[in-house]
Amino acid sequence: MSVGRRDVYYTTWSGPGLYTVNAGTGHVRWQFPLDNWFRYWVKDIDLPASASFSYAEEVKDLVYVTAPGPPSRVYGLKAKSGSRQWEFKSPVASAALADLAGPAYSSSRARTRTLFLAYNAPGPATGPGGASNSSSWLQALDIDRGAALWRSEPLQQMQLQQLDLHRQTLVAMPAAADALYGFNYSDGELMWSRQRQFCSTPSPIAESYGGQLVLASSCSGPFDLAVMGAETGTLYWDGWQVPSDAVPTGNCTYVSVKDNNIVFGCSCSIHGKGKHSSSSSSRGPKQHEQKHPSSDLHAAAVPGICMYSVSMRSGKLHWVLPVPGEARFPASSQQWGMRALQHEGLAIFLAEDRVYAVDAYWGNLSWSLKLEIGDTIQPWQQPALEVLSGTLLLTALRPSSNKTAVAAISLTQGKLIWRRTVNGSAQQPAGPSEGPQQLWLYGGHVYVEACKGTTCCLRAFNVSSGKRRWGVCLDAQRGEDATHPHAQFAIWVITLVTVASIALLIVGAALLYVHRWSEERKILEGDDDGSSPRHTYRPLPDRGDGSDSEGEGTAERFRARNSGGVAAAAAAGRSGSGFAVTPFAQPLAAAGLQQDQQQQQQQQQQLYPGLGRVGGPAAGGQSGRFVGQRGIGEVAATAAADVQAIGQHQEAVWVQERGAISGMARARVPADDQPNQPDSG
């Protein structure tokens, strides 16, 4: 767990998963990989289910989370939405991420935010002993773009384990804990190396003011201390002044450095009355192995715990505070990084079931507080210090009831302010290299994690009152999919049913369209329209004149049946060959048409009375006598005039069919002969 400006970031311990919880409300804002429907088909990450995230931290508007691997990955996520900005893969597929340091601003790259990574890559076994030809190197990564800035030269036959950033120097230590290496953080160039045995976990060094490093050579103590420069690797002093009446016997805490003081505690063997004994102490790197003369001991040795303060400049003992009794520091405190806290002249030491406050300058005990019976502080449970109010917050396990106690202690009064118990136990990290479980403070609240089975619950408590503000339970065993198996099965069923329903709707719509198209084709294919155009008479709308339809019918019959005869009659009239070729004088080709021809002649006689002079029904059988009286030429001229009248009538009908006024066609028909007017012939 880590805390940013507004959110708590929680990485699962089984499977790659990251939860982002709002620090004020406890609501899960987003998850990575993103918790949405698409992640069942599209993978946000290419990590196997056995992989896991080791650390997540917020840097301004970005959150980076690492997967040690192999395969090793570093992801850059947007702090607001959790969407992936970039992904950085190890340049070597089989390489694993050992440690990281930073982030820091690189001076040579225009204030670029840089993250420093230490990688280990295995190699084939070489030599008669089968030594592994492995290699290690450092990698600088631009956090904003996810791009590599530089890569150091590889260190052959070595596996790095620790990486720390001290000012402008990257200090790396191998897993064998037998050397230190200093790299320039701007370009990765190796500046110095020093061969020495160190305590490998959690870190061999602690930074002090002025760029000096405090080194511890042993993890169990009594141990030797040394101080060296971070930029040059120069060793300033080696060995500290061990007191003769309070000899450390082991089981020490990690060192804490502040204001030129190195403070730590150990189990010890107390001689005499346990007074301050810096004047009778001797100096040397291995003084803890020397036997003390019996003449100087006024009483038998008594077991207990001792708190020490050593000068940063010289390694001399400032003071030692022996406390006889049953109190002891938790085992493996130094490996887990459990250290004393220093605040306003007080050094706060945490024993298994007690808290001690010691004056950091004089070494006097200010107060001590025994925890409630059953509360036990573990070495991997790192406390937190609220500086403004001077409140110490810690967690302690209650193994008998599978619960975790949360307590707040006033540093100025040495009294318990409040205490709460929560269901579940704080989970021990996989090992010291993973770092301790640290309490986090933000906005006047402390955030506590306690797990029961595979479900871990995060809780926020008010620092002043101890009132719980919110609690949320998360699945700590995420794996490839954080969804519960039954819920995942239900989601799959719903998804498949939905997809099947949509597919059936699409198929049904397609079948309906095909059916309608087929029916339409059948109807259209049943039309007997043939291949040639048909002449269908469509009468014009009635305009109120009863003679229109009669004229239209006449024009239609002339057009359909007698167009050839009319043309022949007109040609004969123009050429003077007689009237025998007119349609009224020609014999009919079929007997069935005689009746139609008679009706046609009657209609023409009604429309054009002048046609009776040629041979129509109005002649009354007088055509021979009429011709005899007037002569052949006059009769021919009359027939030509009749033919012309018929042509004009036909033209008028065609004009009427095209939308002209029917009266215009009738106006051009010559009127009946007047008795007092001479013939046109």
Side-chain angles (χ1 to χ4, degrees):
M1 179 173 59
S2 63
V3 177
R5 293 179 297 175
R6 299 180 179 87
D7 300 304
V8 179
Y9 301 99
Y10 173 77
T11 57
T12 59
W13 49 263
S14 179
L18 172 65
Y19 293 97
T20 301
V21 182
N22 186 279
T25 63
H27 295 157
V28 178
R29 294 184 57 243
W30 51 263
Q31 301 178 31
F32 182 78
L34 296 179
D35 188 14
N36 53 39
W37 287 82
F38 299 101
R39 68 190 183 98
Y40 292 104
W41 293 276
V42 180
K43 296 292 184 182
D44 291 330
I45 57 178
D46 58 350
L47 292 175
S50 59
S52 62
F53 292 147
S54 62
Y55 191 69
E57 184 175 350
E58 178 182 340
V59 182
K60 198 177 180 180
D61 55 350
L62 195 72
V63 178
Y64 68 86
V65 59
T66 62
S72 178
R73 300 286 187 270
V74 182
Y75 297 96
L77 313 174
K78 287 185 177 180
K80 291 184 178 180
S81 61
S83 60
R84 187 174 61 183
Q85 288 280 82
W86 49 262
E87 176 185 3
F88 180 78
K89 298 181 179 181
S90 171
V92 180
S94 60
L97 180 64
D99 197 8
L100 56 87
Y105 287 102
S106 177
S107 60
S108 62
R109 295 186 179 273
R111 303 286 289 176
T112 302
R113 294 186 295 182
T114 308
L115 186 66
F116 305 99
L117 312 172
Y119 284 102
N120 294 324
T126 59
S132 176
N133 187 21
S134 59
S135 61
S136 301
W137 67 89
L138 302 185
Q139 179 80 62
L141 180 64
D142 185 353
I143 297 181
D144 297 318
R145 299 181 294 112
L149 298 178
W150 53 258
R151 179 180 175 183
S152 68
E153 293 293 331
L155 301 174
Q156 299 298 332
Q157 298 183 358
M158 185 178 299
Q159 294 283 304
L160 294 178
Q161 181 173 335
Q162 299 288 341
L163 182 65
D164 292 316
L165 176 63
H166 298 274
R167 293 192 176 182
Q168 299 182 3
T169 305
L170 289 166
V171 180
M173 187 193 67
D178 56 356
L180 280 181
Y181 299 90
F183 296 87
N184 190 323
Y185 89 130
S186 297
D187 53 12
E189 180 183 358
L190 180 62
M191 299 187 299
W192 54 264
S193 63
R194 178 168 292 277
Q195 300 296 322
R196 182 184 171 90
Q197 193 68 33
F198 302 100
C199 177
S200 58
T201 56
S203 176
I205 52 180
E207 184 184 15
S208 65
Y209 299 100
Q212 295 180 353
L213 307 178
V214 179
L215 312 177
S217 62
S218 174
C219 292
S220 59
F223 52 86
D224 293 331
L225 294 180
V227 173
M228 63 179 296
E231 297 181 358
T232 61
T234 303
L235 186 63
Y236 295 118
W237 57 262
D238 187 359
W240 62 288
Q241 186 179 10
V242 180
S244 60
D245 55 352
V247 180
T249 58
N251 199 23
C252 298
T253 67
Y254 192 54
V255 295
S256 174
V257 180
K258 184 177 182 182
D259 297 336
N260 195 34
N261 286 331
I262 304 174
V263 179
F264 58 94
C266 293
S267 297
C268 62
S269 177
I270 304 173
H271 299 270
K273 297 181 181 180
K275 296 182 180 179
H276 177 69
S277 56
S278 61
S279 59
S280 60
S281 62
S282 59
R283 180 175 180 179
K286 304 294 182 181
Q287 294 298 326
H288 60 274
E289 299 178 356
Q290 299 178 359
K291 295 182 179 180
H292 302 280
S294 60
S295 59
D296 297 336
L297 302 179
H298 301 282
V302 178
I305 60 172
C306 297
M307 282 78 82
Y308 305 91
S309 175
V310 178
S311 172
M312 182 75 186
R313 295 188 179 94
S314 61
K316 290 182 179 181
L317 183 66
H318 280 169
W319 52 259
V320 57
L321 176 62
V323 179
E326 298 178 355
R328 58 181 179 177
F329 294 110
S332 305
S333 297
Q334 185 175 351
Q335 289 90 327
W336 286 101
M338 187 175 183
R339 70 181 73 187
L341 301 178
Q342 300 193 46
H343 173 69
E344 294 186 353
L346 288 178
I348 311 300
F349 292 87
L350 273 69
E352 286 185 348
D353 58 351
R354 292 174 173 84
V355 180
Y356 296 94
V358 182
D359 188 292
Y361 185 77
W362 298 105
N364 299 323
L365 182 63
S366 297
W367 54 261
S368 64
L369 178 66
K370 182 175 173 49
L371 302 180
E372 187 171 331
I373 298 176
D375 293 352
T376 304
I377 300 176
Q378 302 298 322
W380 39 266
Q381 290 180 313
Q382 194 74 271
L385 178 62
E386 215 284 327
V387 179
L388 295 179
S389 62
T391 303
L392 176 69
L393 296 125
L394 54 88
T395 56
L397 289 184
R398 298 185 64 85
S400 59
S401 59
N402 193 21
K403 291 186 177 182
T404 300
V406 186
I409 300 173
S410 173
L411 296 183
T412 57
Q413 300 177 0
K415 295 182 179 181
L416 182 67
I417 301 176
W418 54 262
R419 179 182 175 275
R420 303 287 183 269
T421 56
V422 298
N423 289 324
S425 301
Q427 293 297 311
Q428 178 177 342
S433 60
E434 297 292 331
Q437 187 194 56
Q438 183 176 355
L439 283 180
W440 292 90
L441 296 172
Y442 174 80
H445 293 82
V446 58
Y447 301 94
V448 181
E449 171 194 358
C451 302
K452 198 170 185 178
T454 60
T455 301
C456 292
C457 298
L458 303 180
R459 299 173 176 88
F461 293 93
N462 187 283
V463 174
S464 302
S465 63
K467 183 179 179 180
R468 193 183 75 177
R469 181 168 183 179
W470 55 260
V472 58
C473 295
L474 306 174
D475 189 2
Q477 192 172 2
R478 181 183 180 92
E480 187 177 357
D481 185 6
T483 309
H484 194 274
H486 298 297
Q488 182 181 2
F489 176 76
I491 291 175
W492 269 107
V493 171
I494 295 173
T495 303
L496 293 178
V497 170
T498 304
V499 172
S501 302
I502 295 175
L504 289 177
L505 288 175
I506 296 174
V507 172
L511 292 177
L512 180 62
Y513 175 81
V514 171
H515 175 72
R516 296 188 61 180
W517 176 81
S518 176
E519 292 292 332
E520 184 179 352
R521 293 293 301 174
K522 289 181 181 178
I523 295 174
L524 294 177
E525 289 176 358
D527 295 345
D528 187 14
D529 54 356
S531 59
S532 59
R534 295 177 299 171
H535 300 284
T536 303
Y537 170 67
R538 297 179 181 177
L540 292 175
D542 188 6
R543 299 178 182 274
D545 189 356
S547 62
D548 290 346
S549 60
E550 187 179 357
E552 292 171 2
T554 303
E556 180 66 22
R557 281 189 287 272
F558 268 97
R559 195 165 57 245
R561 301 177 181 177
N562 297 322
S563 59
V566 174
R574 288 193 298 269
S575 60
S577 59
F579 60 93
V581 295
T582 61
F584 310 108
Q586 291 179 352
L588 295 176
L593 299 178
Q594 292 179 358
Q595 185 177 359
D596 293 340
Q597 188 174 5
Q598 292 176 2
Q599 294 177 0
Q600 178 182 359
Q601 290 177 356
Q602 292 176 4
Q603 293 176 359
Q604 290 176 352
Q605 184 65 28
Q606 293 176 4
L607 293 174
Y608 309 105
L611 295 179
R613 297 173 306 192
V614 179
Q622 304 294 330
S623 60
R625 184 171 53 83
F626 184 77
V627 173
Q629 294 178 358
R630 293 202 176 186
I632 298 300
E634 186 175 359
V635 173
T638 303
D642 293 339
V643 171
Q644 183 178 5
I646 293 172
Q648 291 177 354
H649 172 70
Q650 184 178 8
E651 180 181 1
V653 173
W654 281 103
V655 171
Q656 182 184 12
E657 287 187 354
R658 294 176 181 177
I661 302 175
S662 59
M664 295 175 58
R666 216 174 273 113
R668 282 184 277 178
V669 178
D672 294 338
D673 294 341
Q674 301 295 330
N676 299 327
Q677 295 295 333
D679 263 344
S680 61

